[in-house]
Amino acid sequence: QELARQRGFAELVPLALRDLKPRPEAVSLLERYSETSQTLRSQALQRFEQGATEEALVHIRSATLYLQRALQAAGLVVPPPQGNPP
């Protein structure tokens, strides 16, 4: 469920860039947050494969938060996180 949520936000990033046409500063921030999110997602998958489920969950939730921040930088209103905080 958390992976699907993170993936859903990731799919919104190119749409936000195309449709909202954020300013260059916002695009830079969006790209940086997206890269951080991808790194955290990769770490989450590694930790899960190693059996560290709780750590994996923390990483994937953080990855989702970075994507929410990226989308906010582009001007998209993003719903607040649900469930247990990381």
Side-chain angles (χ1 to χ4, degrees):
Q1 181 180 8
E2 293 291 336
L3 280 173
R5 186 166 185 264
Q6 191 271 344
R7 191 177 321 112
F9 279 114
E11 291 171 357
L12 291 175
V13 170
L15 299 174
L17 284 170
R18 185 190 70 207
D19 295 345
L20 298 176
K21 297 175 181 36
R23 293 186 299 194
E25 314 85 55
V27 170
S28 176
L29 191 57
L30 188 145
E31 289 171 347
R32 190 169 65 232
Y33 284 158
S34 294
E35 289 171 11
T36 301
S37 176
Q38 185 58 43
T39 299
L40 287 166
R41 179 185 171 89
S42 295
Q43 290 174 354
L45 293 174
Q46 286 178 336
R47 298 305 294 151
F48 182 76
E49 290 171 1
Q50 296 168 350
T53 308
E54 289 297 320
E55 288 181 44
L57 192 55
V58 168
H59 284 309
I60 200 65
R61 286 181 176 160
S62 294
T64 301
L65 286 173
Y66 269 94
L67 285 176
Q68 287 177 307
R69 291 177 185 144
L71 292 168
Q72 287 171 339
L76 185 68
V77 177
V78 181
Q82 297 177 348
N84 297 327

